[in-house]
Amino acid sequence: MIELEFKKEELPLVEKAICNSIRERVEKFNFNGAIINLSGGVDSSLVTKLTSLAIGNKKTYALILPEEGLTPEKDIEDAIKLCKDLNINYEIIPINSPLKAFEISLVNVEGDREWGITNLKPRVRMIYAYFYANAKKLLVVGTSNKTELLLGYGTKYGDLAADIYPIGDLYKTQVWQLAEYVNIPTDIVKKKPSAGLWKGQTDEEEIGYTYFQIDRVLFCLVELELSVRETAEFLNISEDAVNDLYERIVKNEHKRRTPTITKISRMCLDKDWRYPVERF
Amino acid sequence: MKKLRVFLAQLSTKLGDVKGNEEKILEALEAAKREKVNLLVTPELSTLGYGSGDIYLDKVNENLESLERIKERVDDLYSIIGYVEKDNYGFFYNSACLINKKSIIGNYRKVQLVNYRLFDEKRYFKRGAKLPVFDIGDIKIGILICEDVWFPEPSRAMALRGADLIVVLGASPFERFKKEVWENFLIQRARDNILPFVFCNQAGCQDGVNYLGYSMYVSAAGKIVKTGKLLEEDYVVVEVDLEESRRLRRRDTRLRELRREILEELLRAYDEMEDDRA
């Protein structure tokens, strides 16, 4: 029994649980507010709206960081419209010039420069988010969802860099549902998901499966704790496809962890020492 | 009709916030006095808060001092407070004490510690092994803590010891379908023993974990009579019908038909299972 889609009556509670967690973190550490890198996609739009619901529009900041010449105008428009609708603080800063500066200084590097530069983009965006966070004492709210976190579909210290992941326990399917429930504009919800790192890039093409397929496989592996073979049988798909996704989960554990510390003492900080983040 | 007015203080306690939790407990105590109830219940580990982290190893003494101060404020009202107990050996327990007229008149230690997924109670606490009932005036109550009610045995023992009511303290996190899980367990246990159950659960959110709230009174017939809010702090006052169970037991023969030889057979089965694993 795949209970991936939320039932109608679950949605208000899910919304509330997420808003509570954002509010608690902001209040516990006396932040002046929270900041989100807003791309105009469904994940960041949803997180922006939930943050504004949780702590109020005056304390919510969005950064719109397009790469001119690559980011679709429609994304920028959608992002701006959302900020205006929510009446939150926002800035638009193209990332082209810092990106250019990095590229020039790294021009002599051998190897897969292109891949390095692709990942520079979310990392430059991260730098802006944390600059604002420092300057204005804001919490950086991440926009990664459970599907991305499981597959490792994100850039380490790029878009994965954040203080909290409020939608990190929602599969993409559920993100769409919740986005619809909190009235994110249809244009945004219906948009083809894309990391926006190169022309024509879409998540589903890059991963090789549709989110509909991916989420069902992940649900079986993670929530129902089925084996690769059982999952393939259960969903009536090839074992290779399931294994492909399973391998991604395994390979990307490091993206879901703080860096592994080599244990020397009795009290190794990532292993033996356990304290809540919101500690009293 | 014999009734017991119970005040379920569905508090949003925080792990390690002994001072803040104490304020909330004392506030609830004042509200309960105004409501003229017979019994007040707080959530599991309410003095030290519930969560996952080594704070349990650091703040037990603070939580005991806090309990002393809370005790001083309890007069005629019977109060059940979840706290961390420390024994003479220096071992900790996930406990609940029954306080009346400024003194502790009963204590219960959680018997089924939770140690899966996000829970790691065995990292901090020793398991209890006693299932007593306590007198509140002329009625008997049993106290259970959270997971204890997910097993049939603890409440069964208390029913056999003549409990009129089972009080459950919880700190159960919210997750999908958890509301239904609690409804089902409480209804099931009420039906097993033909006894009313009250459940007082933690609310609020810490470290990305929301607590369910949803405190509840389930009647001896297994009906949900009243529930608290979901996820939010709430004071839930319920009137527990103490006669219904005896009325139902006239014709419902389940408890009286329990047989010693079956319990012995159960123990033999248990021992066989244990031997098999060796």
Side-chain angles (χ1 to χ4, degrees), chain A residues 147-155 160 248-249 252 255-256:
Chain A
T147 307
E148 290 171 345
L149 289 170
L150 280 167
L151 298 180
Y153 195 69
T155 298
L160 289 174
R248 288 184 81 128
I249 297 176
N252 284 295
K255 289 189 178 182
R256 298 183 287 268

Side-chain angles (χ1 to χ4, degrees), chain A residues 201-214:
Chain A
Q201 182 191 21
T202 69
D203 293 4
E204 291 177 330
E205 259 174 62
E206 197 188 349
I207 301 168
Y209 307 96
T210 65
Y211 272 119
F212 181 87
Q213 297 166 314
I214 295 165

Side-chain angles (χ1 to χ4, degrees), chain A residues 131-142:
Chain A
F131 176 85
Y132 271 78
N134 286 160
K136 297 183 184 293
K137 204 181 172 196
L138 304 172
L139 176 82
V140 177
V141 185

Side-chain angles (χ1 to χ4, degrees), chain A residues 166-186:
Chain A
I167 61 166
D169 205 17
L170 301 186
Y171 290 100
K172 189 79 181 187
T173 307
Q174 299 170 329
V175 168
W176 278 316
Q177 276 188 292
L178 188 62
E180 217 157 286
Y181 173 73
V182 300
N183 298 318
I184 299 297
T186 311

Side-chain angles (χ1 to χ4, degrees), chain A residues 3 16 274-275 277-278, chain B residues 54 58 120 176 207 232:
Chain A
E3 291 177 308
K16 193 176 199 167
R274 282 194 217 165
Y275 281 96
V277 180
E278 290 163 28
Chain B
D54 291 353
D58 300 342
D120 49 10
R176 292 183 72 193
D207 263 21
E232 283 176 47

Side-chain angles (χ1 to χ4, degrees), chain A residues 10 18 36 39 50 53 108 116 128 133 148 165 183 192 195 204 230 246:
Chain A
E10 289 186 273
I18 292 172
I36 302 102
S39 68
L50 292 171
L53 288 169
N108 295 322
Y128 279 103
E148 290 171 345
Y165 290 150
N183 298 318
K192 261 207 180 318
E204 291 177 330
E230 287 166 336
Y246 175 75

Side-chain angles (χ1 to χ4, degrees), chain A residues 70-85:
Chain A
L70 177 73
T71 305
E73 281 303 316
K74 178 75 175 113
D75 283 1
I76 303 169
E77 283 163 30
D78 286 344
I80 294 169
K81 188 176 176 305
L82 186 75
C83 294
K84 285 185 169 158
D85 287 348

Side-chain angles (χ1 to χ4, degrees), chain A residues 24-259:
Chain A
E24 285 292 328
R25 180 61 55 97
V26 168
E27 284 176 3
K28 175 75 184 75
F29 294 103
N30 295 316
F31 284 106
N32 296 328
I35 191 158
I36 302 102
N37 277 353
L38 177 61
S39 68
V42 69
D43 301 307
S44 58
S45 299
L46 173 62
V47 169
T48 301
K49 171 114 196 201
L50 292 171
T51 302
S52 151
L53 288 169
I55 62 173
N57 58 328
K58 288 190 176 61
K59 290 186 170 180
T60 304
Y61 295 74
L63 281 181
I64 302 167
L65 305 167
E67 185 185 345
E68 285 174 338
L70 177 73
T71 305
E73 281 303 316
K74 178 75 175 113
D75 283 1
I76 303 169
E77 283 163 30
D78 286 344
I80 294 169
K81 188 176 176 305
L82 186 75
C83 294
K84 285 185 169 158
D85 287 348
L86 296 175
N87 196 16
I88 59 173
N89 314 283
Y90 70 97
E91 293 283 345
I92 308 166
I93 310 167
I95 61 167
N96 300 57
S97 61
L99 213 50
K100 192 91 214 137
F102 276 115
E103 278 186 53
I104 290 164
S105 66
L106 295 167
V107 78
N108 295 322
V109 177
E110 308 263 306
D112 195 348
R113 283 184 73 260
E114 208 173 322
W115 186 232
I117 283 165
T118 298
N119 282 303
L120 262 175
K121 298 171 185 185
R123 287 184 180 127
V124 166
R125 293 188 172 109
M126 173 277 293
I127 289 170
Y128 279 103
Y130 274 94
F131 176 85
Y132 271 78
N134 286 160
K136 297 183 184 293
K137 204 181 172 196
L138 304 172
L139 176 82
V140 177
V141 185
T143 60
S144 304
N145 61 54
K146 194 168 191 167
T147 307
E148 290 171 345
L149 289 170
L150 280 167
L151 298 180
Y153 195 69
T155 298
K156 211 173 182 180
Y157 305 111
D159 56 310
L160 289 174
D163 299 324
I164 56 169
Y165 290 150
I167 61 166
D169 205 17
L170 301 186
Y171 290 100
K172 189 79 181 187
T173 307
Q174 299 170 329
V175 168
W176 278 316
Q177 276 188 292
L178 188 62
E180 217 157 286
Y181 173 73
V182 300
N183 298 318
I184 299 297
T186 311
D187 278 9
I188 293 175
V189 179
K190 295 279 180 251
K191 203 177 282 185
K192 261 207 180 318
S194 165
L197 302 179
W198 59 80
K199 266 229 174 345
Q201 182 191 21
T202 69
D203 293 4
E204 291 177 330
E205 259 174 62
E206 197 188 349
I207 301 168
Y209 307 96
T210 65
Y211 272 119
F212 181 87
Q213 297 166 314
I214 295 165
D215 279 357
R216 269 155 186 73
V217 170
L218 296 182
F219 193 92
C220 288
L221 292 172
V222 176
E223 312 300 321
L224 303 180
E225 298 178 77
L226 302 180
S227 68
V228 170
R229 176 168 302 174
E230 287 166 336
T231 300
E233 276 173 23
F234 189 75
L235 295 173
N236 198 13
I237 52 175
S238 85
E239 210 172 307
D240 283 349
V242 177
N243 202 50
D244 187 21
L245 292 168
Y246 175 75
E247 287 294 319
R248 288 184 81 128
I249 297 176
V250 172
K251 206 177 70 201
N252 284 295
E253 196 63 49
H254 70 100
K255 289 189 178 182
R256 298 183 287 268
R257 294 266 181 273
T258 51

